[in-house]
Amino acid sequence: RATAPRWRNLRHHGTITGRLWRLSRRHPADVYHLLDGSHGYVALGLSASRTVATAHDVIPLLQSLGKFPVSPPGRGARWVIRRSLAGLRRCRRVMSDSSQTADDLVTYG
């Protein structure tokens, strides 16, 4: 199974976070919408009252909890998952595109 090197994943998440935080300071918005809940950690640096997110699934979280018959994510991935959930909890609203995802967020998030 091919995977990206760990440094590449960390650089990816750090780059996304830094760029969005800088952009939000240069160009403040009325609403920030995170289109993917897996990047919820970005919300930690945005105005909580003006940030909303859409969660499409929480499969990485469920994998880390052993809910799927696959190997759990590594330590770095679990850290990103925890930070993403912390960011989602901080958002003014979190939307999901299925009732199952909404239930999973309530139950496990």
Side-chain angles (χ1 to χ4, degrees), residues 16-28:
I16 287 173
T17 302
R19 284 181 181 172
L20 290 175
W21 286 358
R22 283 189 298 278
L23 184 63
S24 71
R25 280 161 184 69
R26 280 189 224 138
H27 306 284

Side-chain angles (χ1 to χ4, degrees), residues 17-62:
T17 302
R19 284 181 181 172
L20 290 175
W21 286 358
R22 283 189 298 278
L23 184 63
S24 71
R25 280 161 184 69
R26 280 189 224 138
H27 306 284
D30 294 330
V31 175
Y32 300 103
H33 182 188
L34 303 178
L35 299 176
D36 186 346
S38 67
H39 292 114
Y41 52 84
V42 173
L44 296 171
L46 299 174
S47 168
S49 65
R50 294 186 287 155
T51 304
V52 298
T54 299
H56 301 282
D57 63 58
V58 290
I59 291 172
L61 170 64
L62 298 175

Side-chain angles (χ1 to χ4, degrees), residues 1 63 68-73:
R1 167 178 114 161
Q63 288 174 329
F68 289 104
V70 297
S71 298

